Coordinates of all heavy atoms in Angstrom, one line a residue:
M1 N 89.1 -23.8 34.9 CA 89.1 -25.2 35.3 C 90.2 -25.4 36.4 O 91.3 -24.8 36.3 CB 89.4 -26.1 34.1 CG 89.5 -27.5 34.4 SD 89.9 -28.5 33.0 CE 90.4 -29.9 33.7
Q2 N 90.0 -26.2 37.4 CA 91.0 -26.5 38.4 C 91.0 -28.0 38.6 O 90.0 -28.7 38.5 CB 90.8 -25.8 39.6 CG 89.5 -26.2 40.4 CD 89.4 -25.4 41.7 OE1 89.9 -24.3 41.8 NE2 88.6 -25.9 42.6
T3 N 92.2 -28.5 38.9 CA 92.5 -29.9 39.1 C 93.1 -30.1 40.4 O 94.2 -29.5 40.6 CB 93.4 -30.5 37.9 OG1 92.8 -30.2 36.7 CG2 93.5 -32.0 38.1
R4 N 92.6 -30.9 41.3 CA 93.2 -31.2 42.6 C 94.0 -32.4 42.5 O 93.5 -33.5 42.0 CB 92.1 -31.4 43.7 CG 92.8 -31.7 45.0 CD 91.8 -31.6 46.2 NE 91.2 -30.3 46.3 CZ 91.8 -29.2 46.9 NH1 93.1 -29.3 47.3 NH2 91.2 -28.1 47.0
V5 N 95.3 -32.3 42.8 CA 96.2 -33.4 42.7 C 96.7 -33.7 44.1 O 97.2 -32.8 44.8 CB 97.4 -33.0 41.8 CG1 98.5 -34.1 41.8 CG2 97.0 -32.6 40.5
T6 N 96.6 -35.0 44.5 CA 97.0 -35.4 45.8 C 98.0 -36.6 45.6 O 97.7 -37.5 45.0 CB 95.8 -35.9 46.7 OG1 94.9 -34.9 46.8 CG2 96.3 -36.3 48.1
A7 N 99.2 -36.4 46.2 CA 100.2 -37.5 46.2 C 100.4 -38.1 47.5 O 100.5 -37.4 48.6 CB 101.5 -36.9 45.7
T8 N 100.3 -39.4 47.6 CA 100.6 -40.2 48.8 C 101.8 -41.0 48.5 O 102.0 -41.5 47.5 CB 99.4 -41.1 49.2 OG1 99.2 -42.0 48.2 CG2 98.2 -40.3 49.6
F9 N 102.7 -41.1 49.5 CA 104.0 -41.7 49.3 C 104.4 -42.4 50.6 O 103.9 -42.2 51.7 CB 105.0 -40.7 48.8 CG 105.0 -39.5 49.7 CD1 105.9 -39.4 50.8 CD2 104.2 -38.4 49.4 CE1 105.9 -38.3 51.6 CE2 104.2 -37.3 50.2 CZ 105.1 -37.2 51.3
N10 N 105.5 -43.3 50.5 CA 106.1 -44.0 51.6 C 107.1 -43.1 52.2 O 108.0 -42.6 51.5 CB 106.7 -45.3 51.1 CG 107.1 -46.1 52.2 OD1 107.6 -45.7 53.2 ND2 107.1 -47.5 51.9
E11 N 107.0 -42.9 53.5 CA 108.0 -42.0 54.2 C 109.4 -42.5 54.2 O 110.3 -41.7 54.4 CB 107.6 -41.9 55.7 CG 106.2 -41.2 55.9 CD 105.9 -41.3 57.4 OE1 106.7 -41.0 58.2 OE2 104.7 -41.7 57.7
N12 N 109.6 -43.8 53.9 CA 111.0 -44.3 53.8 C 111.7 -43.9 52.6 O 112.9 -43.9 52.5 CB 110.9 -45.8 53.9 CG 110.4 -46.3 55.3 OD1 110.6 -45.6 56.3 ND2 109.7 -47.4 55.3
Y13 N 110.9 -43.5 51.5 CA 111.5 -43.1 50.3 C 111.5 -41.6 50.0 O 112.5 -41.1 49.4 CB 110.7 -43.8 49.1 CG 110.8 -45.2 49.0 CD1 109.8 -46.1 49.5 CD2 112.0 -45.9 48.6 CE1 109.8 -47.5 49.4 CE2 112.1 -47.3 48.6 CZ 111.0 -48.0 49.0 OH 111.1 -49.4 48.9
L14 N 110.5 -40.9 50.5 CA 110.4 -39.5 50.2 C 109.8 -38.8 51.4 O 109.3 -39.4 52.3 CB 109.3 -39.3 49.0 CG 109.7 -39.8 47.7 CD1 108.4 -39.8 46.8 CD2 110.8 -38.9 47.1
D15 N 110.0 -37.4 51.4 CA 109.4 -36.5 52.4 C 108.6 -35.5 51.7 O 108.6 -35.4 50.4 CB 110.4 -36.0 53.3 CG 111.5 -35.1 52.6 OD1 111.3 -34.9 51.4 OD2 112.3 -34.6 53.3
V16 N 107.9 -34.7 52.4 CA 107.0 -33.7 51.9 C 107.7 -32.7 51.0 O 107.2 -32.4 49.9 CB 106.2 -33.0 53.0 CG1 105.4 -31.8 52.5 CG2 105.3 -34.0 53.7
E17 N 108.8 -32.2 51.5 CA 109.5 -31.1 50.7 C 110.1 -31.7 49.4 O 110.1 -31.0 48.4 CB 110.7 -30.6 51.5 CG 110.2 -29.7 52.7 CD 109.3 -28.7 52.3 OE1 109.5 -27.9 51.3 OE2 108.2 -28.5 53.0
T18 N 110.5 -32.9 49.4 CA 111.0 -33.5 48.1 C 109.9 -33.7 47.1 O 110.0 -33.4 45.9 CB 111.6 -34.9 48.4 OG1 112.7 -34.7 49.4 CG2 112.2 -35.5 47.2
V19 N 108.7 -34.1 47.6 CA 107.5 -34.3 46.7 C 107.1 -32.9 46.1 O 106.8 -32.8 44.9 CB 106.3 -35.0 47.4 CG1 105.1 -34.9 46.6 CG2 106.7 -36.4 47.8
R20 N 107.1 -31.9 46.9 CA 106.8 -30.6 46.4 C 107.8 -30.1 45.4 O 107.4 -29.6 44.3 CB 106.8 -29.5 47.6 CG 105.6 -29.5 48.4 CD 105.7 -28.4 49.4 NE 104.5 -28.4 50.2 CZ 104.5 -28.1 51.5 NH1 105.6 -27.6 52.1 NH2 103.4 -28.1 52.2
R21 N 109.1 -30.4 45.6 CA 110.1 -30.0 44.6 C 109.9 -30.8 43.3 O 110.0 -30.2 42.2 CB 111.5 -30.3 45.2 CG 112.6 -29.9 44.3 CD 114.0 -30.2 44.9 NE 114.1 -31.5 45.4 CZ 114.4 -32.6 44.6 NH1 114.5 -32.4 43.3 NH2 114.6 -33.8 45.1
L22 N 109.6 -32.0 43.4 CA 109.4 -32.8 42.2 C 108.2 -32.3 41.4 O 108.2 -32.3 40.2 CB 109.2 -34.3 42.6 CG 110.3 -35.1 43.2 CD1 109.9 -36.5 43.6 CD2 111.5 -35.1 42.2
F23 N 107.1 -32.0 42.2 CA 105.9 -31.5 41.5 C 106.2 -30.2 40.7 O 105.8 -30.0 39.6 CB 104.8 -31.2 42.5 CG 103.5 -30.8 41.9 CD1 102.7 -31.6 41.2 CD2 103.2 -29.5 42.1 CE1 101.6 -31.2 40.7 CE2 102.0 -29.0 41.5 CZ 101.2 -29.9 40.8
Y24 N 106.9 -29.2 41.4 CA 107.2 -28.0 40.7 C 108.2 -28.1 39.5 O 108.1 -27.4 38.6 CB 107.7 -27.0 41.7 CG 106.7 -26.5 42.7 CD1 107.0 -26.6 44.1 CD2 105.5 -26.1 42.4 CE1 106.1 -26.2 45.0 CE2 104.5 -25.8 43.3 CZ 104.8 -25.8 44.6 OH 103.9 -25.4 45.5
E25 N 109.0 -29.1 39.6 CA 109.9 -29.4 38.4 C 109.1 -29.9 37.2 O 109.5 -29.6 36.1 CB 110.9 -30.5 38.8 CG 112.0 -30.0 39.7 CD 113.0 -31.2 40.0 OE1 112.9 -32.3 39.4 OE2 113.8 -31.0 41.0
C26 N 108.0 -30.5 37.4 CA 107.2 -31.1 36.4 C 106.2 -30.2 35.7 O 105.6 -30.5 34.7 CB 106.5 -32.4 36.8 SG 107.7 -33.7 37.4
L27 N 106.0 -29.0 36.3 CA 105.0 -28.2 35.8 C 105.4 -27.5 34.5 O 106.6 -27.3 34.2 CB 104.7 -27.1 36.8 CG 104.0 -27.5 38.0 CD1 103.8 -26.3 39.0 CD2 102.6 -28.0 37.7
D28 N 104.4 -27.2 33.6 CA 104.6 -26.4 32.4 C 105.0 -25.0 32.9 O 104.7 -24.5 34.0 CB 103.3 -26.3 31.6 CG 103.0 -27.7 31.0 OD1 103.9 -28.5 30.8 OD2 101.8 -27.9 30.8
A29 N 105.6 -24.3 32.0 CA 106.1 -22.9 32.3 C 105.0 -22.0 32.6 O 105.1 -21.1 33.4 CB 106.9 -22.4 31.1
D30 N 103.8 -22.2 31.9 CA 102.7 -21.2 32.1 C 101.7 -21.8 33.1 O 100.6 -21.2 33.2 CB 102.1 -20.9 30.8 CG 101.5 -22.1 30.1 OD1 101.9 -23.2 30.5 OD2 100.7 -22.0 29.2
A31 N 101.9 -22.8 33.8 CA 101.0 -23.4 34.8 C 100.8 -22.5 36.0 O 101.8 -22.0 36.5 CB 101.4 -24.8 35.2
R32 N 99.6 -22.4 36.5 CA 99.4 -21.7 37.7 C 98.9 -22.8 38.7 O 98.1 -23.7 38.4 CB 98.2 -20.7 37.6 CG 98.6 -19.6 36.7 CD 97.5 -18.6 36.5 NE 96.3 -19.3 36.0 CZ 95.1 -18.9 36.3 NH1 94.8 -17.8 37.0 NH2 94.1 -19.6 35.8
V33 N 99.6 -22.7 39.9 CA 99.3 -23.8 40.9 C 99.3 -23.2 42.3 O 99.9 -22.2 42.6 CB 100.4 -24.9 40.8 CG1 101.8 -24.3 41.1 CG2 100.1 -26.1 41.6
S34 N 98.6 -23.9 43.2 CA 98.6 -23.5 44.6 C 99.9 -23.9 45.2 O 100.7 -24.7 44.7 CB 97.5 -24.2 45.3 OG 97.7 -25.5 45.4
R35 N 100.2 -23.4 46.4 CA 101.5 -23.7 47.0 C 101.7 -25.1 47.5 O 102.7 -25.6 47.6 CB 101.6 -22.7 48.2 CG 103.0 -22.6 48.8 CD 103.1 -21.6 49.8 NE 102.1 -21.9 50.9 CZ 102.1 -21.4 52.1 NH1 103.0 -20.6 52.4 NH2 101.2 -21.7 52.9
G36 N 100.6 -25.8 47.7 CA 100.6 -27.2 48.2 C 100.4 -27.3 49.6 O 101.0 -26.6 50.4
R37 N 99.4 -28.1 50.0 CA 99.1 -28.3 51.4 C 99.6 -29.6 51.9 O 99.5 -30.6 51.2 CB 97.6 -28.3 51.6 CG 97.0 -26.9 51.4 CD 95.5 -26.9 51.7 NE 95.0 -28.0 52.5 CZ 93.8 -28.6 52.2 NH1 93.1 -28.1 51.3 NH2 93.4 -29.6 52.9
N38 N 100.2 -29.6 53.0 CA 100.7 -30.8 53.7 C 99.5 -31.4 54.4 O 99.0 -30.9 55.4 CB 101.8 -30.5 54.6 CG 102.4 -31.7 55.3 OD1 102.0 -32.8 55.0 ND2 103.4 -31.5 56.1
L39 N 99.0 -32.6 54.0 CA 97.9 -33.3 54.6 C 98.3 -34.4 55.6 O 97.5 -35.0 56.2 CB 97.0 -33.9 53.6 CG 96.4 -32.9 52.5 CD1 95.7 -33.7 51.5 CD2 95.6 -31.9 53.2
G40 N 99.6 -34.5 55.8 CA 100.1 -35.5 56.8 C 101.6 -35.7 56.5 O 102.1 -35.1 55.6
R41 N 102.2 -36.7 57.2 CA 103.6 -36.9 56.9 C 103.8 -37.6 55.6 O 105.0 -37.6 55.1 CB 104.1 -37.8 58.0 CG 104.2 -37.1 59.4 CD 104.9 -37.9 60.4 NE 104.8 -39.3 60.3 CZ 104.7 -40.2 61.2 NH1 104.7 -39.8 62.4 NH2 104.6 -41.5 61.0
N42 N 102.8 -38.2 55.0 CA 103.0 -38.9 53.7 C 102.0 -38.5 52.7 O 101.7 -39.3 51.8 CB 102.9 -40.4 54.0 CG 101.6 -40.9 54.4 OD1 100.8 -40.1 54.9 ND2 101.4 -42.1 54.4
M43 N 101.5 -37.2 52.7 CA 100.5 -36.8 51.8 C 100.6 -35.3 51.5 O 100.7 -34.5 52.4 CB 99.1 -37.2 52.3 CG 98.0 -36.9 51.3 SD 96.3 -37.3 51.9 CE 96.5 -39.0 52.3
V44 N 100.5 -34.9 50.2 CA 100.6 -33.5 49.8 C 99.5 -33.3 48.8 O 99.3 -34.1 47.9 CB 102.0 -33.2 49.2 CG1 102.0 -31.7 48.8 CG2 103.1 -33.5 50.1
S45 N 98.8 -32.1 48.8 CA 97.8 -31.8 47.9 C 98.1 -30.5 47.2 O 98.6 -29.5 47.8 CB 96.5 -31.7 48.6 OG 95.4 -31.4 47.7
F46 N 97.8 -30.4 45.9 CA 98.0 -29.2 45.1 C 96.8 -28.9 44.3 O 96.0 -29.8 44.0 CB 99.2 -29.4 44.1 CG 100.5 -29.8 44.7 CD1 100.9 -31.1 44.8 CD2 101.4 -28.8 45.1 CE1 102.1 -31.5 45.3 CE2 102.6 -29.2 45.7 CZ 102.9 -30.5 45.8
V47 N 96.6 -27.7 43.9 CA 95.5 -27.3 43.0 C 96.2 -26.7 41.8 O 96.9 -25.7 41.9 CB 94.5 -26.4 43.6 CG1 93.4 -26.0 42.6 CG2 93.8 -27.0 44.8
V48 N 95.9 -27.3 40.6 CA 96.5 -26.7 39.3 C 95.3 -26.0 38.6 O 94.3 -26.6 38.4 CB 97.1 -27.9 38.5 CG1 97.6 -27.3 37.2 CG2 98.1 -28.6 39.2
Y49 N 95.5 -24.8 38.2 CA 94.5 -24.0 37.5 C 94.8 -24.0 36.0 O 96.0 -23.7 35.6 CB 94.5 -22.6 38.0 CG 94.2 -22.6 39.5 CD1 95.3 -22.4 40.4 CD2 92.9 -22.7 40.0 CE1 95.0 -22.4 41.8 CE2 92.7 -22.7 41.4 CZ 93.7 -22.5 42.3 OH 93.5 -22.5 43.6
G50 N 93.9 -24.3 35.2 CA 94.0 -24.2 33.7 C 93.8 -25.6 33.1 O 93.5 -26.6 33.8
Y51 N 93.9 -25.6 31.8 CA 93.5 -26.8 31.0 C 94.8 -27.6 30.6 O 94.6 -28.8 30.3 CB 92.8 -26.4 29.7 CG 91.5 -25.8 30.0 CD1 91.3 -24.4 30.0 CD2 90.4 -26.6 30.2 CE1 90.1 -23.8 30.3 CE2 89.1 -26.0 30.5 CZ 89.0 -24.7 30.5 OH 87.8 -24.1 30.8
R52 N 95.9 -27.0 30.6 CA 97.1 -27.7 30.2 C 97.8 -28.4 31.3 O 98.9 -28.1 31.6 CB 98.0 -26.8 29.4 CG 97.3 -26.1 28.3 CD 98.2 -25.1 27.6 NE 99.4 -25.7 27.2 CZ 100.5 -25.1 26.8 NH1 100.5 -23.7 26.8 NH2 101.6 -25.7 26.5
T53 N 97.2 -29.4 31.9 CA 97.8 -30.1 33.0 C 98.2 -31.5 32.8 O 98.9 -32.2 33.5 CB 96.9 -30.1 34.2 OG1 95.6 -30.8 33.9 CG2 96.6 -28.7 34.7
E54 N 97.7 -32.2 31.7 CA 97.9 -33.6 31.5 C 99.3 -34.0 31.3 O 99.8 -34.9 31.9 CB 97.1 -34.0 30.2 CG 97.1 -35.5 30.1 CD 96.3 -36.2 31.3 OE1 95.4 -35.7 31.8 OE2 96.8 -37.4 31.6
Q55 N 100.1 -33.2 30.5 CA 101.5 -33.5 30.4 C 102.3 -33.3 31.7 O 103.1 -34.1 32.0 CB 102.1 -32.5 29.3 CG 103.5 -32.8 28.9 CD 103.6 -34.0 28.0 OE1 102.6 -34.5 27.4 NE2 104.7 -34.6 27.9
S56 N 101.9 -32.3 32.4 CA 102.6 -32.1 33.7 C 102.3 -33.2 34.7 O 103.2 -33.7 35.4 CB 102.1 -30.8 34.4 OG 102.4 -29.7 33.6
L57 N 101.0 -33.7 34.7 CA 100.7 -34.8 35.6 C 101.4 -36.1 35.2 O 101.8 -36.8 36.0 CB 99.2 -35.1 35.5 CG 98.3 -34.0 36.2 CD1 96.8 -34.3 36.0 CD2 98.6 -33.9 37.6
F58 N 101.5 -36.3 33.9 CA 102.3 -37.5 33.4 C 103.7 -37.4 33.9 O 104.3 -38.4 34.4 CB 102.2 -37.6 31.9 CG 102.9 -38.8 31.4 CD1 102.3 -40.1 31.6 CD2 104.0 -38.7 30.7 CE1 103.0 -41.2 31.1 CE2 104.7 -39.8 30.2 CZ 104.2 -41.0 30.4
R59 N 104.4 -36.3 33.7 CA 105.8 -36.2 34.1 C 105.9 -36.4 35.6 O 106.8 -37.0 36.1 CB 106.3 -34.8 33.7 CG 106.6 -34.7 32.3 CD 107.4 -33.4 32.0 NE 106.7 -32.2 32.3 CZ 106.2 -31.4 31.5 NH1 106.2 -31.6 30.2 NH2 105.5 -30.3 31.9
F60 N 105.0 -35.8 36.4 CA 105.0 -35.9 37.9 C 104.8 -37.4 38.3 O 105.5 -37.9 39.2 CB 104.0 -35.0 38.5 CG 104.0 -35.1 40.0 CD1 105.1 -34.8 40.8 CD2 102.8 -35.3 40.7 CE1 105.1 -34.9 42.1 CE2 102.8 -35.4 42.1 CZ 103.9 -35.2 42.8
Y61 N 103.9 -38.0 37.7 CA 103.6 -39.4 38.0 C 104.9 -40.3 37.7 O 105.2 -41.1 38.6 CB 102.4 -39.9 37.1 CG 102.1 -41.4 37.3 CD1 101.4 -41.8 38.4 CD2 102.5 -42.3 36.3 CE1 101.0 -43.1 38.5 CE2 102.2 -43.6 36.5 CZ 101.5 -44.1 37.6 OH 101.2 -45.4 37.7
R62 N 105.5 -40.1 36.6 CA 106.7 -40.9 36.3 C 107.8 -40.6 37.3 O 108.5 -41.5 37.7 CB 107.2 -40.6 34.9 CG 106.2 -41.3 33.9 CD 106.7 -41.2 32.5 NE 108.1 -41.6 32.3 CZ 108.9 -41.2 31.4 NH1 108.5 -40.3 30.6 NH2 110.2 -41.6 31.4
L63 N 108.1 -39.3 37.6 CA 109.1 -38.9 38.5 C 108.9 -39.4 39.9 O 109.8 -39.9 40.6 CB 109.3 -37.4 38.4 CG 110.6 -36.8 39.0 CD1 111.8 -37.4 38.4 CD2 110.6 -35.3 38.8
L64 N 107.6 -39.3 40.3 CA 107.3 -39.8 41.6 C 107.5 -41.3 41.8 O 108.1 -41.7 42.8 CB 105.8 -39.4 41.9 CG 105.3 -39.6 43.3 CD1 106.0 -38.7 44.3 CD2 103.7 -39.4 43.3
H65 N 107.1 -42.0 40.8 CA 107.3 -43.5 40.8 C 108.8 -43.9 40.7 O 109.2 -45.0 41.1 CB 106.5 -44.2 39.8 CG 105.1 -44.4 40.3 ND1 104.7 -45.5 41.0 CD2 104.0 -43.6 40.4 CE1 103.4 -45.4 41.4 NE2 103.0 -44.3 41.0
R66 N 109.6 -43.1 40.1 CA 111.0 -43.3 40.0 C 111.6 -43.3 41.4 O 112.5 -44.1 41.7 CB 111.7 -42.4 39.1 CG 113.1 -42.7 38.8 CD 113.7 -41.8 37.8 NE 113.0 -41.8 36.5 CZ 113.0 -40.8 35.7 NH1 113.6 -39.7 36.0 NH2 112.3 -40.9 34.6
H67 N 111.2 -42.4 42.2 CA 111.7 -42.3 43.6 C 111.0 -43.2 44.6 O 111.6 -43.6 45.6 CB 111.6 -40.8 44.1 CG 112.4 -39.9 43.4 ND1 113.8 -39.7 43.7 CD2 112.2 -39.1 42.3 CE1 114.3 -38.8 42.9 NE2 113.4 -38.4 42.0
D68 N 109.7 -43.5 44.4 CA 108.9 -44.3 45.3 C 108.0 -45.2 44.5 O 107.0 -44.7 44.0 CB 108.2 -43.4 46.3 CG 107.3 -44.2 47.2 OD1 107.4 -45.5 47.2 OD2 106.6 -43.6 48.0
P69 N 108.3 -46.5 44.3 CA 107.4 -47.3 43.5 C 106.0 -47.5 44.2 O 105.1 -48.0 43.5 CB 108.2 -48.6 43.5 CG 109.2 -48.6 44.6 CD 109.4 -47.2 44.9
F70 N 105.9 -47.2 45.4 CA 104.6 -47.4 46.1 C 103.7 -46.1 46.2 O 102.6 -46.1 46.7 CB 104.8 -47.9 47.5 CG 105.6 -49.2 47.6 CD1 106.9 -49.2 48.0 CD2 105.0 -50.4 47.1 CE1 107.7 -50.3 48.0 CE2 105.8 -51.5 47.1 CZ 107.1 -51.5 47.5
A71 N 104.2 -45.1 45.6 CA 103.5 -43.8 45.6 C 102.2 -43.9 44.8 O 102.1 -44.6 43.9 CB 104.4 -42.7 45.1
R72 N 101.2 -43.1 45.3 CA 99.9 -43.1 44.6 C 99.6 -41.6 44.3 O 99.8 -40.7 45.1 CB 98.9 -43.6 45.5 CG 97.9 -44.5 44.8 CD 97.0 -45.2 45.8 NE 95.8 -44.5 46.1 CZ 94.8 -44.9 46.8 NH1 94.9 -46.1 47.3 NH2 93.8 -44.1 47.0
L73 N 99.0 -41.4 43.1 CA 98.6 -40.1 42.7 C 97.1 -40.1 42.4 O 96.6 -40.9 41.7 CB 99.4 -39.7 41.4 CG 99.3 -38.3 40.9 CD1 99.9 -37.3 41.9 CD2 100.0 -38.1 39.6
L74 N 96.4 -39.1 43.1 CA 95.0 -39.0 42.9 C 94.7 -37.7 42.2 O 95.3 -36.6 42.6 CB 94.3 -39.0 44.3 CG 94.4 -40.2 45.2 CD1 93.7 -39.9 46.5 CD2 93.8 -41.4 44.5
V75 N 93.9 -37.7 41.2 CA 93.6 -36.5 40.4 C 92.1 -36.3 40.5 O 91.3 -37.2 40.1 CB 94.0 -36.6 39.0 CG1 93.6 -35.4 38.2 CG2 95.5 -36.8 38.9
D76 N 91.6 -35.3 41.2 CA 90.2 -35.0 41.5 C 89.6 -36.2 42.1 O 88.4 -36.6 41.8 CB 89.5 -34.7 40.2 CG 89.9 -33.3 39.7 OD1 90.3 -32.5 40.5 OD2 89.8 -33.1 38.4
G77 N 90.3 -36.9 43.1 CA 89.8 -38.0 43.8 C 89.9 -39.3 43.2 O 89.5 -40.4 43.8
R78 N 90.3 -39.4 42.0 CA 90.5 -40.7 41.3 C 91.9 -41.1 41.1 O 92.8 -40.2 40.9 CB 89.8 -40.6 39.9 CG 88.4 -40.4 39.9 CD 87.8 -40.3 38.6 NE 86.4 -39.9 38.6 CZ 85.8 -39.5 37.6 NH1 86.3 -39.3 36.4 NH2 84.5 -39.1 37.7
V79 N 92.2 -42.4 41.2 CA 93.6 -42.8 41.0 C 94.1 -42.6 39.6 O 93.4 -42.9 38.6 CB 93.7 -44.3 41.4 CG1 95.1 -44.8 41.1 CG2 93.3 -44.6 42.8
Y80 N 95.2 -41.9 39.5 CA 95.8 -41.6 38.2 C 96.7 -42.7 37.8 O 97.5 -43.2 38.6 CB 96.6 -40.3 38.3 CG 97.2 -39.8 37.0 CD1 96.5 -39.2 36.1 CD2 98.5 -40.2 36.7 CE1 97.0 -38.7 34.9 CE2 99.1 -39.7 35.5 CZ 98.3 -39.1 34.6 OH 98.9 -38.7 33.4
S81 N 96.6 -43.2 36.6 CA 97.5 -44.2 36.0 C 97.8 -43.8 34.6 O 96.9 -43.4 33.8 CB 96.9 -45.6 36.1 OG 95.7 -45.6 35.3
A82 N 99.1 -43.8 34.3 CA 99.5 -43.3 33.0 C 99.4 -44.4 31.9 O 99.5 -45.6 32.2 CB 100.9 -42.8 33.0

C-alpha cells in the first residue's frame, strides 16, 4: 500500500525545506517514504509506503498547522482533516 501526501502552505510562514523536516520528524521509526518532490514554492509531495501511516499523518497535520494555520494537507487527493 502506498499513500501520496501533498502539503500546500503559505510562503510567508514556511518554506519547502522546513516542511520536509517537519514531515520526517513525524514519521514512525519503521516508515518507508520517498524523498519528497518539490511541486512549487508552496507545495511538497511525499509517498509513504506501508499501512501504519495514520498516526504519522495526524502528527504531521498538527505540526504543520502549528507553524502555518493556512496550510492544507491532501492525502491521496482528498483534504485531510483530523
Side-chain angles (χ1 to χ4, degrees):
M1 177 181 166
Q2 67 181 21
T3 304
R4 179 167 301 280
V5 179
T6 305
T8 58
F9 50 90
N10 188 328
E11 296 174 49
N12 295 328
Y13 294 104
L14 292 168
D15 62 1
V16 171
E17 292 306 316
T18 303
V19 172
R20 282 185 181 148
R21 184 180 50 79
L22 294 174
F23 182 74
Y24 293 130
E25 284 177 14
C26 296
L27 289 177
D28 293 332
D30 61 344
R32 293 180 305 151
V33 65
S34 69
R35 192 174 56 162
R37 288 187 14 220
N38 183 4
L39 302 176
R41 291 188 330 217
N42 63 346
M43 187 180 300
V44 181
S45 178
F46 303 93
V47 177
V48 181
Y49 303 97
Y51 293 98
R52 301 178 56 193
T53 60
E54 191 62 35
Q55 188 75 17
S56 298
L57 290 176
F58 180 72
R59 285 192 298 255
F60 179 54
Y61 177 79
R62 286 187 51 208
L63 194 56
L64 190 64
H65 276 268
R66 187 176 302 154
H67 290 278
D68 178 4
F70 303 107
R72 218 168 94 173
L73 190 62
L74 300 175
V75 177
D76 291 331
R78 297 183 186 161
V79 176
Y80 181 83
S81 59

